[in-house]
Amino acid sequence: MNNNKIAEKIEEGSTTLPGKTILVIDACLPQYDKDSGSNRMLHLLRMFKRLGYQVIFFPDNGKANEPYFTLLNGLGIEVIYRTGRSGTWKNALKQCLTRVDICWLSRPDLNEKYSYIFNINPKIKWIYDSLDLHYVRLGREANLLEDAHKRMKVQKQANTFEKLEMSLAKTADVTIAITATEEEELNRRGARNVKVVPNIHVSQAGSNTFAQREGIMFIGGFAHLPNVDAVIWLINEIMPVVWQALPGTKVYLVGSNPPPEVAALANELVIVTGYINDVSSYFNNSRLFVAPLRYGAGMKGKIGQALEYALPIVSTKIGTEGMNLQNGIHVLEANTVGALQQSILDLYTNEELWEKLQGNALSALKPLLYDHQEENVKEILSSLYKPYKVTIITVVQNAEATLQDLIDSVAKYKTPEVQFLVWDGQSTDRTLQILEQNSNVVDHYVSLPDSGIYDAVNKAIQLANGEFYLFMGADDLLSEGFRQMLPILKDVKTIYYGGVYKDSTRVSKPYSAYQLTKEHICHQAIIYPRAVFEKYTYDTRYQVFADYLLNLQCWTDPDFKQHYEDLIIAKFSAGGFSDIHQDVNFARDKEALFKQLLSPWDYLRYLRRKLGYGGLLSEVLGGLKPYTLPKKDSERLSIMFVNEDFTTNHQAINPHRTYEMIEMLCRLDYEVSFLTPYPYFQKFQLEKLQTLGVKFIEASLSPSSLEPFLDQVEIIWFLGYQNNPRLVKSIKKKRHIKSIFDVSGLPTPEERTLVLAKQSHVTITETPEWKAQLVNRNLFHVYQPDMASLKTMFNHLR
């Protein structure tokens, strides 16, 4: 990137000052001349200043490297850096948080490291800039590795990043993807609010013609491993055939930090330049640019940089993904050695094709140009402070006595972001006249037949256009807490609630799912996101307590969070519909609904409160009914997992690893069941297992309890060392059954674990200490499972 271009843009001045401060955190000061991510970051910092924001930059490494520190200072950016005394720079970061409005955090690992910022100051808006999806890049790298151990190690990293990146994307106020392809992937996986900010470029094409140019160039920082892989592949496998047809053609490998394996490629035809301050001469004098990337993710800055200089490109699909470049129009795309060789030869020798691609470079670059992206970034930052629209929904019938008071209370807090919607059940008094007279407050009303309050509410929801809903009765009054709650609404998957005045009694407190077994929350205190009603409706079987059921569903659903504020949202009087009517259906079903929706632990707490300890024990023991596996009707391998407690990291068994193992086994078309004596599964865990087709069995861990299942099972997979040794002995009597003893995560064997290991057909471990103790025994290393190793193990067992 030409530094003069940056200076020119800054001199153009800034737009209207919004009076807000952005804290930007990245690994280091943006070294714009060494990698595309830093180049993009410098453009973003420049945009923030031009848009009028105060900018604070915090480099995670604490270094004020030159010339980058002086450049940021010249832009008016405050840099917090290490000054010599340990810890002072990080204390300075914490101290500045009181004046920060937005935090733009780059890279998933740094988002995890600095997430405490949003606990110190919850008002800070969180922007998670992914740069690229690390788990996609690492997964692609793993697929290329031939060494099984290295492949497993890299895949484990990919799995770790996948969990982290999806968690961040579901938590941050905005997640920044670098391509539309990655935006689509994040949205598909349930991310919260994804926007695209690609690499940012400035057109700076040279004037040299086809005939005035020679040589092939590649650019990329070699600290990034996909670049190392690409140039080794280019020189060792692609270029030999090209050199046969075009002898003497030089290849320029431009980029910082070339490792020994890249430096070793240098000869009279391969020039390894190392770091170059101004790369424009290479772009303006080379005939073509090549990007033979075999793995990676996100948008590749090298492709955009070649487009900046209008240098025609040969690239793999990995290199051009997410850029909407057309093969043969903007770029020549090839993905095999032979195809890449032919594309290089065609573009290097065909002047007409070369000029066609050069002429189309600017149109391809246009969406990535600075001015276009500045508007995009401006809109993203502005959207953080656009209030969500809230629809107040009221269902009425013959409510002339109280309706005007409700309307007057709503009028006090009416703004363009507050919609007031009324559903009238064909009133015969003055209700419709009152609604008509208050059309300045009531945005929309209808008068149609319905079959009860909750049927009317369900129908009214279909007419609402807010992102959040508040349900008010015709005899309720809106309070000041509603206005105070509006700026707090910031997550469309969170239910926000406060308190109410019931007559003169103040009712306001946080609720857990368990506490809902004691009492329900007044609907006037709750502001629901629209997403709740995209998943649920009010169950009209319950004419009084359908709202109670909805709250039970929401408080036990991992898709939704709850946020409590000690604010009075509304006032109402006793003697309303729910006070004077009984809900016979809900009273009948309440117990079953608790059992269905609550986590096993919360349900046990409820039973203990209701029955006492003696009654609880009787209820639990009486409820454990044996499950009979269906008769096998196929040749699919049948596997049963056995464990005492799967919900915690019990005896060093990682439940997430076990989930992954089960998922792979299901994908391999194996029949999988899971036996445990304790109903401690969390609801979401049960649902996930059942979604995979896993049969869940509650039974005690004894030979007699296990006996009914053994004829239908071929492999028993014991998790952890807490299982009864008698089980292993009894299983050995069934000659068709093989047993697996899984002690992954247990670093060293103990006497009791060795006994079980020696009785099992296979022991799974990840540590060498077991090998010395189990000489001539079958040991498998599948701590981070992959399908190939699992298939190998099962083939061995069979």
Side-chain angles (χ1 to χ4, degrees), residues 254-271:
V254 182
S256 59
N257 304 311
E261 58 267 36
V262 172
L265 299 173
N267 56 43
E268 67 276 8
L269 295 180
V270 179
I271 292 83

Side-chain angles (χ1 to χ4, degrees), residues 12 84 98 121 228-229 251 513 690 702:
E12 293 175 14
T98 56
N121 184 356
V228 175
D229 176 80
V251 179
Q690 291 165 347
S702 66

Side-chain angles (χ1 to χ4, degrees), residues 60 69-70 83 389 408 416 455 575 588 598 603 634 654 672:
D60 178 59
F69 176 74
T70 298
T83 57
K389 179 172 281 189
D408 290 343
D455 177 57
R588 179 197 66 209
L598 294 172
Y603 184 60
S634 71
N654 186 333
V672 182

Side-chain angles (χ1 to χ4, degrees), residues 684-701:
F684 78 93
Q685 293 174 320
L686 261 178
E687 289 176 349
K688 182 168 183 179
L689 288 172
Q690 291 165 347
T691 300
L692 294 172
V694 177
K695 300 175 181 69
F696 174 62
I697 304 165
E698 290 181 16
S700 61
L701 291 182

